[in-house]
Amino acid sequence: GALVYQYPRRTICKSGTSMRMECQAVGFQATSVAWYRQSPQKTFELIALSTVNSAIKYEQNFTQEKFPISHPNLSFSSMTVLNAYLEDRGLYLCGARDHGANSDYTFGSGTRLLVI
Amino acid sequence: GDQVEQSPSALSLHEGTGSALRCNFTTTMRAVQWFRKNSRGSLINLFYLASGTKENGRLKSAFDSKERYSTLHIRDAQLEDSGTYFCAALVTSGGNYKPTFGKGTSLVVHP
């Protein structure tokens, strides 16, 4: 079956430092990868949508300068939170989809980021 | 404003009873997915619908793109059904599908 693994599961970083998180698709081709942040008390906010070998589209309030994303092949994507501060804490989720017809998104368990 | 409005935000059921969750959309959505967040924090995919209805055990979901809503019906609720349920509507974006989540429904099933 289609699975998405995210690592690390949990991480702590000091304020002002950066943290890289990874997303691995197994059993299908991750043509598209969507990265989300779930802040405390909030729903899942889309950060950016990436299509392999194509431009990465960032949502309003999120920038490549702050959340650079790499999507080099059909099984892997990574995102870095640069210069993390308290407001960046939360659960970061990635979902991947194969561009086959009627294909749904499969989500990982997320990377929980704590900033101290 | 929010493109996906999910209700109710919280739901309490006695074992053996049932209810429905609903997501209303402010625009035409291409498809919808329903998830349950388990105790480990993983989003478990329950349904993917581009139209019509699907049923799986005690769960049934419907999606009406024209009327801009989707529902998730739970019947004969069991204790293990407790958790947070999310709908995610897939909107077409530059040839791709972009999932937009509802705010979730926290379900507690009581003995």
Side-chain angles (χ1 to χ4, degrees):
Chain A
L3 293 170
V4 170
Y5 294 102
Q6 285 188 253
Y7 33 90
R9 288 293 305 272
R10 300 172 189 271
T11 187
I12 300 173
C13 69
K14 288 185 177 179
S15 183
T17 65
S18 300
M19 177 62 211
R20 181 172 179 261
M21 52 195 74
E22 300 182 346
C23 178
Q24 183 85 36
V26 176
F28 70 108
Q29 293 185 328
T31 315
S32 288
V33 173
W35 284 94
Y36 292 82
R37 177 175 69 190
Q38 186 185 35
S39 303
Q41 310 304 324
K42 287 186 179 180
T43 189
F44 295 101
E45 298 177 276
L46 179 64
I47 297 171
L49 182 60
S50 171
T51 303
V52 71
N53 297 326
S54 184
I56 298 171
K57 188 175 179 184
Y58 285 82
E59 293 294 294
Q60 195 174 9
N61 301 326
F62 296 97
T63 65
Q64 183 180 3
E65 289 71 32
K66 174 69 175 179
F67 300 97
I69 290 170
S70 171
H71 187 186
N73 56 53
L74 290 170
S75 64
F76 180 81
S77 177
S78 67
M79 184 178 75
T80 301
V81 181
L82 292 176
N83 198 19
Y85 286 98
L86 279 177
E87 59 265 26
D88 295 318
R89 71 188 190 279
L91 179 70
Y92 289 82
L93 200 68
C94 89
R97 172 179 172 263
D98 188 330
H99 276 204
N102 293 334
S103 180
D104 55 358
Y105 274 86
T106 300
F107 285 86
S109 300
T111 293
R112 187 164 295 280
L113 174 64
L114 180 62
V115 182
I116 57 173
Chain B
D2 292 344
Q3 288 187 299
V4 180
E5 296 176 358
Q6 184 172 345
S7 62
S9 58
L11 181 61
S12 178
L13 293 176
H14 286 291
E15 257 187 311
T17 64
S19 188
L21 285 57
R22 185 178 177 104
C23 281
N24 292 325
F25 313 121
T26 56
T27 187
T28 301
M29 299 298 181
R30 184 65 182 83
V32 68
Q33 286 186 247
W34 283 92
F35 300 92
R36 181 172 65 87
K37 197 172 187 182
N38 68 11
S39 57
R40 296 181 63 183
S42 298
L43 282 180
I44 308 300
N45 190 14
L46 300 175
F47 292 104
Y48 169 87
L49 296 98
S51 65
T53 63
K54 285 187 179 179
E55 192 165 357
N56 184 4
R58 297 177 289 102
L59 299 178
K60 182 177 180 179
S61 182
F63 172 52
D64 191 326
S65 175
K66 185 178 178 183
E67 297 299 322
R68 300 181 180 178
Y69 76 90
S70 178
T71 55
L72 177 68
H73 292 260
I74 302 173
R75 63 175 175 83
D76 187 25
Q78 303 297 305
L79 296 178
E80 59 265 27
D81 294 331
S82 295
T84 304
Y85 291 75
F86 292 92
C87 69
L90 305 187
V91 62
T92 302
S93 173
N96 203 342
Y97 289 172
K98 183 170 72 172
T100 301
F101 281 84
K103 293 186 177 180
T105 297
S106 178
L107 170 65
V108 177
V109 180
H110 299 280

